[in-house]
Amino acid sequence: MDRPLLQPTDRGLWCEAGGFHVDPWRPVEVAVVTHAHADHAASGCGRYITAAPGAGLLSARVRGADGEVPEIEPREYDEPFDVGGVRLSLHPAGHTLGSAQVRIEAPNASPDRNGGVWVVTGDYRPSPEAHAPNTTCAPFEAVTCDTLLTESTFGLPIYRWRDPAVIAEEMNEWWRANAAGERTSVIFAYALGKAQRVLSMLDASIGPIGLHGAVDTLVGVYREAGVTLPATQHANRDNATEFKGRGVIIAPPSTDGTPWLRRFKGKHGSRTAFASGWMAVRGRRRWRSADKGFVVSDHADWEGLLATVRATGASRVGVTHGYAEQVSRYLREVGAGNGPIESFVVPTRYEGEPADSGEADS
């Protein structure tokens, strides 16, 4: 094989041998999509291939302005299939419902620097907390490969996630204290993935749980896929009094300060919190003037990233999204635990989780 199996182009990662792109950022003929977040699933593609559990989410995100649903080909996890003569399979990424890693096997199967088995992680979240797993999607599974292309959204040693069970307890105690003071609780979270993870952490016995319309629609897709979540209501003007002073509202960050959100204030106002991996950095806790920050992330932290590199056994690692330069240099100089490893940066138009975007995937 003269050229690498996957090549960066102005439309995203391109597999010439199979005639498809992985997570393109512009319309292409054939798109293999890791998950439905906007920076991985471009609208207007001719054909989409994605993991079956996430097909409903992808359909909701890429349908045309006229409501027309494009061709979406769902594939079961771990099921090999061919595209243009190239063998692929999709494997759980632990990021959102239906999120997948893409395993691609070069036609010549030679494990040289250009061929062999490649794995594109997309966004992923290893789950070492076996006693408190994420129940909103299939758990991450490391896939053996020759070349690994990994995200690095939180690829610095300062990002080390705490036990989600502890975070959930803190979140519910915060809500409980607010309710005791007749203050409505508001948690800002990205509508797809993060909001559902936050919802799964809440104790519905404390009070009613209200959802912004954008969150409510996607929670419905999760429920249809068989994900068990606490009872909720679509929060609106008709039921606003039910949430005032005792309920919790989950809403996108863009609703902060809007008339829609102000209608739910309790007798003594409301308290706001932001759920994001960026809350691990103290300065970020004042972002958007939220009263509280909860470290809830759907991405690999520093230890998770290095553990994934080790588990795959990859001899080459391409790094993209976020701290790509820093992680790639670290792997070349130090490695992931077994000595230095060949590493390179994969260009991208996206950062993985822009810290200054209220609608960022976090």
Side-chain angles (χ1 to χ4, degrees):
M1 178 172 288
D2 297 329
R3 285 186 285 186
L5 181 62
L6 292 174
Q7 306 166 57
T9 71
D10 62 356
R11 293 181 181 273
L13 284 174
W14 163 244
C15 179
E16 182 178 9
F20 61 86
H21 287 77
V22 178
D23 286 355
W25 49 67
R26 293 181 183 175
V28 297
E29 184 176 346
V30 180
V32 180
V33 176
T34 61
H35 64 288
H37 278 140
D39 57 341
H40 293 261
S43 299
C45 296
R47 171 189 173 200
Y48 294 88
I49 301 172
T50 196
L57 289 174
L58 183 61
S59 175
R61 300 302 288 265
V62 300
R63 67 178 63 228
D66 57 0
E68 183 178 353
V69 179
E71 179 184 351
I72 296 178
E73 181 180 317
R75 290 286 178 173
E76 298 299 327
Y77 285 132
D78 307 321
E79 172 192 275
F81 59 96
D82 289 346
V83 178
V86 173
R87 179 57 56 95
L88 288 80
S89 56
L90 304 178
H91 305 267
H95 179 65
T96 63
L97 177 65
S99 59
Q101 303 168 81
V102 183
R103 181 187 185 275
I104 308 171
E105 188 170 335
N108 63 10
S110 174
D112 60 24
R113 63 180 294 110
N114 294 332
V117 174
W118 290 49
V119 167
V120 180
T121 66
D123 291 337
Y124 68 103
R125 169 69 151 89
S127 301
E129 311 89 356
H131 59 288
N134 174 23
T135 59
T136 62
C137 65
F140 172 84
E141 297 176 5
V143 182
T144 302
C145 59
D146 300 300
T147 301
L148 176 72
L149 302 189
T150 177
E151 64 135 320
S152 60
T153 304
F154 291 101
L156 290 179
I158 59 173
Y159 295 110
R160 300 174 190 264
W161 306 146
R162 297 167 59 211
D163 186 341
V166 175
I167 301 297
E169 183 177 350
E170 293 176 353
M171 190 180 300
N172 286 307
E173 282 301 317
W174 173 78
W175 176 16
R176 191 175 288 109
N178 291 338
E182 297 186 72
R183 298 181 178 90
T184 306
S185 299
V186 179
I187 301 177
F188 296 121
Y190 187 65
L192 172 54
K194 184 59 55 61
Q196 292 75 33
R197 187 184 287 258
V198 166
L199 175 57
S200 73
M201 300 167 74
L202 294 177
D203 179 358
S205 68
I206 300 173
I209 302 173
L211 306 177
H212 180 270
V215 175
D216 187 52
T217 296
L218 296 174
V219 164
V221 178
Y222 270 67
R223 295 190 197 278
E224 290 173 6
V227 177
T228 301
L229 294 167
T232 59
Q233 298 181 61
H234 176 195
N236 54 54
R237 68 178 64 188
D238 296 328
N239 58 15
T241 56
E242 296 184 39
F243 303 104
K244 289 182 176 182
R246 66 190 188 96
V248 62
I249 304 293
I250 302 177
S254 58
T255 63
D256 189 13
T258 63
W260 174 84
L261 192 60
R262 287 196 292 270
R263 67 164 54 103
F264 302 107
K265 283 188 175 183
K267 180 179 179 180
H268 296 294
S270 61
R271 289 291 181 268
T272 59
F274 203 94
S276 168
W278 296 116
M279 298 299 104
V281 181
R282 185 176 300 275
R284 292 289 178 196
R285 294 179 183 175
R286 294 190 295 274
W287 191 40
R288 288 181 171 265
S289 301
D291 302 308
K292 183 75 173 177
F294 293 110
V295 183
V296 182
S297 181
D298 298 318
H299 294 263
D301 65 357
W302 175 250
E303 293 296 341
L305 194 159
L306 296 182
T308 297
V309 172
R310 292 194 299 271
T312 64
S315 58
R316 300 178 69 238
V317 178
V319 189
T320 191
H321 289 301
Y323 297 101
E325 292 283 355
Q326 294 92 326
V327 172
S328 184
R329 184 172 62 250
Y330 184 89
L331 292 175
R332 291 193 304 270
E333 296 177 355
V334 180
N338 296 316
I341 188 172
E342 182 180 352
S343 183
F344 55 96
V345 172
V346 180
T348 179
R349 288 179 57 188
Y350 300 101
E351 298 179 19
E353 183 185 342
D356 59 352
S357 171
E359 297 302 315
D361 155 29
S362 56

